[in-house]
Amino acid sequence: MGKGQNEGGFSEDQLQMYRECFKLMDINKDGTIDKNDLRGAFDNVGVLMTEGELDELLGEIGGPCNYDNMVKMFQEKMAGEGNDSDDLIVQAFKAYDFEGKIDSKMFTHALMTWGDKMTKAEIDDIFGEFEIDEDYMIKTKDVVSLFVAQKEEEKKEATPPPPEPEPVPEEDEGDSKKEKEE
């Protein structure tokens, strides 16, 4: 278990974020998110959901949608078979890698064409996280780090040891006397 994480693998900061999100979604403030709360939460962000979509989302919880059950569902989803392994995600990005960089135009085309197709707005939002050079290239490591969680040890860069102070040459008493005499 990582530093600062509970038994479910979430840090206290993540749990606090989930608490705040839950409170925002629990519109009637009864401690349980029901279909009306969920509909209202989606309406607030401009997304209209059908009855079936709302039922499907609430059905994923497996009981009343209170804070504890919501966190439990997130834990199960993050640990489940439905998520791609980090290695698979890294391999997918490496397929576009050329000398440590990814061609942003080719990458944009792939994101808009295959799999869960992304919109131009979604891509612009994600690409806002990257530095794109004059050749329209993005550093592969920047792309990978956005999509794959890195361990704290991997994030830390090696810090060079502090420079050792240069030894001060000691004067020989005999030399200093000679200088004074001259």
Side-chain angles (χ1 to χ4, degrees), residues 51-143:
E51 290 291 314
E53 290 170 325
L54 294 170
D55 289 336
E56 186 178 330
L57 284 173
L58 288 171
E60 291 181 26
I61 299 292
C65 186
N66 57 32
Y67 170 76
D68 291 334
N69 284 344
M70 183 182 79
V71 170
K72 182 180 171 191
M73 186 262 311
F74 289 152
Q75 291 167 337
E76 290 169 357
K77 284 198 169 288
M78 292 182 79
E81 297 296 317
N83 292 326
D84 294 326
S85 70
D86 287 351
D87 290 337
L88 182 63
I89 294 169
V90 170
Q91 286 176 359
F93 289 124
K94 293 282 184 181
Y96 293 94
D97 178 88
F98 179 73
E99 297 178 355
K101 294 187 176 183
I102 294 174
D103 182 318
S104 65
K105 291 181 177 186
M106 182 172 49
F107 193 43
T108 298
H109 174 74
L111 293 172
M112 293 178 80
T113 307
W114 298 297
D116 293 334
K117 297 171 184 67
M118 298 179 80
T119 66
K120 179 79 172 118
E122 290 170 323
I123 291 170
D124 290 345
D125 186 40
I126 290 172
F127 277 32
E129 299 289 322
F130 307 131
E131 281 185 38
I132 300 175
D133 68 18
E134 65 277 358
D135 296 323
Y136 301 101
M137 302 295 278
I138 307 167
K139 291 180 184 173
T140 303
K141 68 178 181 130
D142 292 346
V143 175

Side-chain angles (χ1 to χ4, degrees), residues 37-54:
D37 291 328
L38 199 55
R39 180 182 295 109
F42 278 105
D43 286 351
N44 286 339
V45 294
V47 177
L48 298 177
M49 301 288 286
T50 66
E51 290 291 314
E53 290 170 325
L54 294 170

